Amino acid sequence: MEKIKLFICGLLCFYILPLQAQQPEPAMHSNERSIKYFVESVEQGGWRIEPSVNPDILNLYHPAKKTYNVKFVSDIDSLVFTVKADEPVYFSVIYKGDTAHTAIEFTNRMANTLSDAEKLYALSLFWSEVKYNFAFIDKLKFDLDSMYKAFIPKALATANDYEFYDVMKLFVGSFHDGHTNVNYNDGFQYTDYIPMTMQYFNEELYITSVKESLKDTFPLGSKIIKINGLPTNEYIRQYIEPYIDSDFSPTVRYLSVASTSGLLSAKLQTDTLTVKYITPDNKILINRLPRDGHSRENEPSIGYQPKYWNNPVEITWQKDGIAALAFNTFNNQQIDLIAQFEKIKDTLYQAKGIVIDLRNNRGGNTAVGWHLLQYIIKDDYFLNFAWQTRINSGVKKAAGNYREENKDYYNNRAYLTMPADTVFIPDTIKRFNVPIVVLFSTMTVSAAEDFLIILYERPDRPLFIGQPSYGSTGSPLLVLGFPDNGFARVCALRVLFPYSMKPFSEGIQPDILVNYTFEEFMSGKDKDMETAILELQKLIDKK
């Protein structure tokens, strides 16, 4: 009888276990290529369905949590999971007959996958591209090879992938160029941000917005006087500024604390900042700043929130017949900005004056700026920027140690200099024949600065109003081959002003600098626009 029981048990195991192993993974359907996903009920953005990637993995990290609740939502379906640490969840998304096998992997450990060889290769790859292609090699205040050698032991000593890329960012920060950087795409999962915003006023740092639940602990208008025991500006100088891709002081200040992307804010989840601050009612408090912004994204904030643009190109009417034309981006990869502008531009011919607003323009395609310039420059043509790039010649470098004319090649300092191209304006373009001013800010960068550079030396240019621009433009060389889903960029083109041929190295200074007090900023007052309108009214009255 015992043998019969064992036989039956064996048969059951033989048939049932394979059936259990073959249970199909959960599946959801979608009519759209992009779906949403939520972690702990907080929307994380779009998830692009990629059937060719098998499996397509969502990586989650937290140093202490045991589980994560994750939800994927399409236009017609959804799936909900409770994911445990180190226990991957597998499911499928079916899109137009294709099946995208997907996994969620949650861990409490940071990835440590890079070998010493991979670390050394990545550091060396970036160094070599800088040595031969970085457009500002002649402006470095240190010896590149010595800096590279000093960073080799730092890179090899890193304990995990995130630490390695942190060392790479510190190395890249030495070059202080906004178009020269390194990116670790997988690093986002390890970071979180402080759920408040801060702003400098007269070299002092104030809290300008905060999540509702933190308003009593960190009152609006509190002045941060110490961070981790150091005076605020000293802490930022020591621990934040070395990573910043600029040495232009207005940009450094902006980047050090700007919103959630500011370097002071966006750090490892385990990084702690203890601040000493003076509240508006003159209490001196010491508290640790929470670093849990991702989990608070659905919570309302109080304080001043910058107004974000609605459309890439938009017109708003101000008082006295003045129109504000906002070009909020020159990035036309997804949207035909020129076509959008052409659809709405005719209303501008009714304006008595025009404000061209580039305050939120972070660049894109210089040709978009060219198109706009055709409507405001009265001549039949204009000059684009001039430019320089590095030249490397093995033959001339070999002769450079004994021929003076080849010495720059020997020292890796040879440049090709190209004069400004002439851009002719079609006869069909009807100019805006009214007074014009241009608004810009520290967020105005790259191709938007090209627009300003082209105008800057012209005697008939519009008045410039606002804050100094970011101070970085050029043509970045994309450096691939970095490990663990990373890449780098090296700026390979130096822009020159078209007439003087002077290198563009710092932000464009406005003719009228507009500064804000804390009270003006918090009130939401648009002092830039008010100044622009006032100046236009003066110009209109003169006509």
Side-chain angles (χ1 to χ4, degrees):
M1 178 64 70
E2 191 65 31
K3 289 183 178 180
I4 293 174
K5 288 180 180 178
L6 290 172
F7 177 73
I8 293 171
C9 183
L11 283 176
L12 289 172
C13 290
F14 180 80
Y15 285 106
I16 293 174
L17 288 179
L19 287 173
Q20 289 177 337
Q22 294 173 14
Q23 288 294 315
E25 62 188 17
M28 62 181 291
H29 294 76
S30 179
N31 292 324
E32 298 176 350
R33 187 68 183 266
S34 183
I35 61 179
K36 296 178 181 178
Y37 74 99
F38 300 77
V39 178
E40 301 294 355
S41 301
V42 178
E43 184 176 345
Q44 304 298 307
W47 179 267
R48 185 173 173 82
I49 301 170
E50 295 289 356
S52 61
V53 181
N54 187 9
D56 199 2
I57 301 174
L58 169 63
N59 290 298
L60 298 175
Y61 164 84
H62 194 279
K65 287 177 71 73
K66 302 293 185 184
T67 62
Y68 258 127
N69 294 311
V70 182
K71 183 178 183 179
F72 278 78
V73 180
S74 74
D75 58 327
I76 55 173
D77 209 348
S78 65
L79 281 174
V80 179
F81 304 98
T82 298
V83 187
K84 297 179 180 179
D86 300 318
E87 295 183 17
V89 169
Y90 299 94
F91 65 100
S92 298
V93 183
I94 300 169
Y95 167 69
K96 292 187 176 180
D98 285 334
T99 299
H101 296 284
T102 310
I104 307 171
E105 295 186 356
F106 167 44
T107 182
N108 302 127
R109 299 182 304 277
M110 299 180 75
N112 185 19
T113 65
L114 303 184
S115 66
D116 285 353
E118 288 176 307
K119 293 175 183 179
L120 183 58
Y121 173 75
L123 178 66
S124 303
L125 178 62
F126 183 82
W127 162 76
S128 65
E129 292 293 356
V130 168
K131 185 165 185 171
Y132 295 107
N133 293 304
F134 182 52
F136 305 96
I137 193 78
D138 57 341
K139 300 300 181 184
L140 295 183
K141 298 175 183 177
F142 55 86
D143 179 74
L144 175 62
D145 292 350
S146 297
M147 180 73 78
Y148 162 65
K149 285 188 285 187
F151 267 84
I152 290 174
K154 295 178 182 179
L156 295 179
T158 53
N160 53 57
D161 299 0
Y162 182 91
E163 279 190 20
F164 168 73
Y165 272 99
D166 193 61
V167 167
M168 282 296 304
K169 288 178 180 178
L170 191 59
F171 182 51
V172 174
S174 306
F175 303 102
H176 298 302
D177 177 66
H179 286 68
T180 300
N181 42 50
V182 66
N183 291 273
Y184 175 36
N185 290 333
D186 291 344
F188 176 76
Q189 63 184 308
Y190 304 122
T191 64
D192 208 337
Y193 63 92
I194 299 163
M196 62 181 69
T197 59
M198 292 169 266
Q199 186 90 6
Y200 268 102
F201 300 92
N202 293 323
E203 295 298 307
E204 295 181 317
L205 188 62
Y206 289 82
I207 295 173
T208 54
S209 76
V210 67
K211 292 297 183 179
E212 181 83 33
S213 61
L214 299 172
K215 66 180 181 180
D216 294 330
T217 307
F218 299 99
L220 288 176
S222 295
K223 181 169 67 174
I224 310 294
I225 56 175
K226 282 191 175 182
I227 302 175
N228 286 356
L230 289 174
T232 298
N233 290 342
E234 180 61 21
Y235 180 88
I236 289 175
R237 187 187 69 78
Q238 285 191 35
Y239 296 103
I240 304 300
E241 290 184 10
Y243 291 89
I244 290 179
D245 59 9
S246 174
D247 57 2
F248 182 48
S249 58
T251 303
V252 171
R253 279 285 182 257
Y254 166 73
L255 290 178
S256 63
V257 296
S259 191
T260 59
S261 62
L263 290 177
L264 180 64
S265 178
K267 286 288 187 180
L268 275 178
Q269 296 173 21
T270 52
D271 281 356
T272 59
L273 292 176
T274 299
V275 294
K276 184 176 183 180
Y277 52 103
I278 303 173
T279 66
D281 55 359
N282 287 319
K283 292 179 182 176
I284 297 179
L285 302 176
I286 298 176
N287 275 300
R288 179 175 164 179
L289 290 174
R291 193 176 292 282
D292 57 358
H294 291 316
S295 64
R296 295 178 184 267
E297 287 184 0
N298 290 336
E299 183 183 335
S301 295
I302 63 167
Y304 177 68
Q305 300 293 314
K307 298 180 179 66
Y308 293 102
W309 45 273
N310 298 314
N311 298 297
V313 187
E314 51 191 355
I315 296 172
T316 56
W317 286 91
Q318 311 298 317
K319 63 182 181 181
D320 298 334
I322 292 172
L325 168 66
F327 252 95
N328 297 307
T329 179
F330 283 163
N331 187 346
N332 62 347
Q333 288 186 333
Q334 312 233 336
I335 301 169
D336 189 340
L337 298 175
I338 292 175
Q340 278 205 2
F341 169 69
E342 287 294 323
K343 282 181 183 177
I344 63 175
K345 76 169 193 311
D346 286 348
T347 59
L348 293 172
Y349 294 112
Q350 304 167 24
K352 295 180 179 178
I354 299 173
V355 180
I356 295 176
D357 188 352
L358 303 179
R359 287 177 291 175
N360 292 310
N361 193 317
R362 302 195 183 197
N365 189 337
T366 302
V368 178
W370 283 2
H371 190 80
L372 177 58
L373 285 165
Q374 294 179 122
Y375 287 87
I376 64 177
I377 289 176
K378 303 300 188 289
D379 295 338
D380 297 330
Y381 66 90
F382 60 87
L383 294 183
N384 187 32
F385 55 78
W387 54 275
Q388 289 179 315
T389 192
R390 302 275 298 284
I391 309 174
N392 297 290
S393 169
V395 171
K396 292 183 178 180
K397 184 171 184 175
N401 62 345
Y402 61 88
R403 286 185 179 174
E404 188 65 30
E405 65 268 25
N406 290 328
K407 199 160 190 171
D408 284 343
Y409 290 93
Y410 184 76
N411 293 323
N412 296 314
R413 297 294 187 272
Y415 282 86
L416 169 69
T417 301
M418 297 297 293
D421 291 325
T422 300
V423 180
F424 290 95
I425 300 175
D427 294 338
T428 54
I429 296 293
K430 181 182 176 183
R431 311 298 203 278
F432 298 138
N433 194 25
V434 293
I436 295 173
V437 300
V438 180
L439 283 184
F440 53 87
S441 73
T442 311
M443 289 191 291
T444 307
V445 63
S446 195
E449 288 186 292
D450 293 343
F451 178 92
L452 300 176
I453 289 165
I454 292 169
L455 281 175
Y456 187 74
E457 295 180 327
R458 294 184 61 89
D460 59 344
R461 70 164 170 83
L463 197 66
F464 287 176
I465 298 173
Q467 299 81 45
S469 66
Y470 188 104
S472 179
T473 187
S475 180
L477 166 67
L478 187 62
V479 185
L480 301 175
F482 274 60
D484 205 13
N485 198 23
F487 67 93
R489 302 191 312 165
V490 174
C491 187
L493 181 144
R494 173 160 56 197
V495 167
L496 311 176
F497 286 93
Y499 296 96
S500 67
M501 300 291 284
K502 292 179 181 176
F504 173 71
S505 58
E506 293 187 335
I508 297 290
Q509 294 287 344
D511 301 306
I512 299 176
L513 177 65
V514 181
N515 288 318
Y516 285 76
T517 65
F518 172 78
E519 291 74 20
E520 288 170 336
F521 182 84
M522 295 299 289
S523 73
K525 180 179 182 179
D526 193 345
K527 197 173 172 183
D528 299 325
M529 187 63 72
E530 289 179 4
T531 304
I533 291 170
L534 181 63
E535 293 301 320
L536 276 176
Q537 288 171 331
K538 294 176 185 176
L539 294 171
I540 291 167
D541 291 343
K542 287 181 181 178
K543 285 193 73 176

